[in-house]
Amino acid sequence: MSELTENNTIRTANENGSRTVLVFGATGQQGGAVASALLSDGWSVRAFVRNPSAGKAKELASLGASLVAGDLADPLSVRAAMKGVHGVFSIQPSSGQGAAYGITDEQEVRYGKVVADLALAEGVRHLVYTSVAISGEGPTGLGHFDSKLEIEDHVRSLALRSTIVRPATFMELLLLPGMGLDQGAYNFFLLPDQAGQIIAVRDIGKIVAAVFADPERFAGRTIEIASDEVTGKDLGEKLTHAAGRPIEYYRFSDTLLRENAFLGKLASIIDDGRLAANADIAALEQDFGTLTRFGDWLAGPGEPLLRTALDAKDAMVTLR
Ligand SMILES: NC(=O)c1ccc[n+]([C@@H]2O[C@H](COP(=O)([O-])OP(=O)(O)OC[C@H]3O[C@@H](n4cnc5c(N)ncnc54)[C@H](OP(=O)(O)O)[C@@H]3O)[C@@H](O)[C@H]2O)c1
């Protein structure tokens, strides 16, 4: 068990240094999935948390993780957290998450570079950075994607053993309330016959844990990761099946995409292929085992999110 010290840092005596990974964002979606997968695979996890007394931090400690208190804005805390670990899972919040963290693209880039620089300085043996699925060369024009390309370039420029994963759109994101499910509709970016890749967050954890387990094989690689590929129509059909009632699929309306510059830009880089995601799912399954199809996710880990979205009285559909 972990124990709180006076400076609010949890003792890490239960860690096995050569099998310890420092996980950033462990109270969040990706970091949480990575922490659980590593713990299941027998790694020691040191979770970097802003508030060790928060409920999610305590949950991590109860699962067996050690907690270190710190903030990405405080490089000294980042450096202290890296002492003696084998690996680092690097993730930063982004401006794309709106007001949740109030972070700018410049801050995201600074945090991502600091984590990589300090991992090198502290002799970390393997850093895994999670980016986003982007194809093609040069900037996309969307700040929270271009920030990740800049961090990727920095990570690759260092004499540090590293792997970059580029996750597709999270299945969890698809079920944010406001997509019209309460009105028997589902609105998203894809055209009815346009294919897009998506990933279950738990698969990010499984893949990253496997990458840490075999650094020789995965070091130096940038890996596009996805669990399934669906068209807009597929989304409507799978949601209809899971909800047990008809769900009509629509692409976000032209009016919405014109009036909301952020959504409009996202739609344009989906349409021009920059955000299409090109993961080879069959090859990923050979390396990492079975990945989660959207229908299975809706009937399993996504079921509570589906129920919430079905009941949400918040309809972007009215903007169609
Ligand atoms: N949604 C998608 O489809 C998608 C796809 C690919 C990539 N992404 C990218 O994924 C990233 C978000 O990942 P996520 O959804 O796993 O995040 P999340 O669930 O929102 O969690 C964010 C985590 O970052 C921590 N955090 C925030 N500010 C911090 C700071 N100053 N210092 C230390 N920790 C801090 C939070 O800790 P607290 O508990 O203290 O708040 C939390 O653990 C973004 O960069 C996004 O652009 C998203």
Side-chain angles (χ1 to χ4, degrees), residues 25-30 48 50 71-72 91-94 97 101 108 131-132 144 148 167-170 173:
T27 54
Q29 299 190 89
Q30 298 193 67
F48 186 90
R50 291 193 291 180
D71 195 300
L72 283 162
I91 179 172
Q92 291 75 44
S94 80
Q97 297 175 277
Y101 298 106
E108 182 189 354
S131 175
V132 66
H144 69 296
K148 291 175 177 61
T169 303
F170 303 164
L173 176 96

Side-chain angles (χ1 to χ4, degrees), residues 12-23 38 42-46 66 81-88 122-126 161 212:
T12 51
N14 58 340
E15 289 179 0
N16 173 354
S18 65
R19 293 275 298 165
T20 299
V21 176
L22 174 66
V23 177
L38 287 168
W43 291 85
S44 299
V45 167
R46 189 184 296 176
S66 306
M82 284 189 186
K83 299 280 176 209
V85 298
H86 162 88
V88 167
E122 288 301 322
V124 166
R125 307 295 309 281
H126 192 190
R161 188 158 68 169
F212 275 118

Side-chain angles (χ1 to χ4, degrees), residues 206-259:
K206 171 173 162 165
I207 290 169
V208 169
V211 165
F212 275 118
D214 199 349
E216 297 305 331
R217 180 155 178 225
F218 294 111
R221 288 178 55 184
T222 297
I223 310 172
E224 303 251 348
I225 59 173
S227 316
D228 202 0
E229 183 162 312
V230 287
T231 62
K233 265 195 239 152
D234 292 336
L235 290 175
E237 284 166 18
K238 287 173 199 300
L239 286 163
T240 294
H241 181 75
R245 60 190 203 228
I247 306 286
E248 193 77 31
Y249 181 79
Y250 300 94
R251 187 196 209 193
F252 286 139
S253 72
D254 290 345
T255 311
L256 175 64
L257 297 179
R258 203 171 36 248
E259 289 177 355

Side-chain angles (χ1 to χ4, degrees), residues 131-146:
S131 175
V132 66
I134 304 168
S135 311
E137 297 295 321
T140 63
L142 257 184
H144 69 296
F145 294 147
D146 295 338

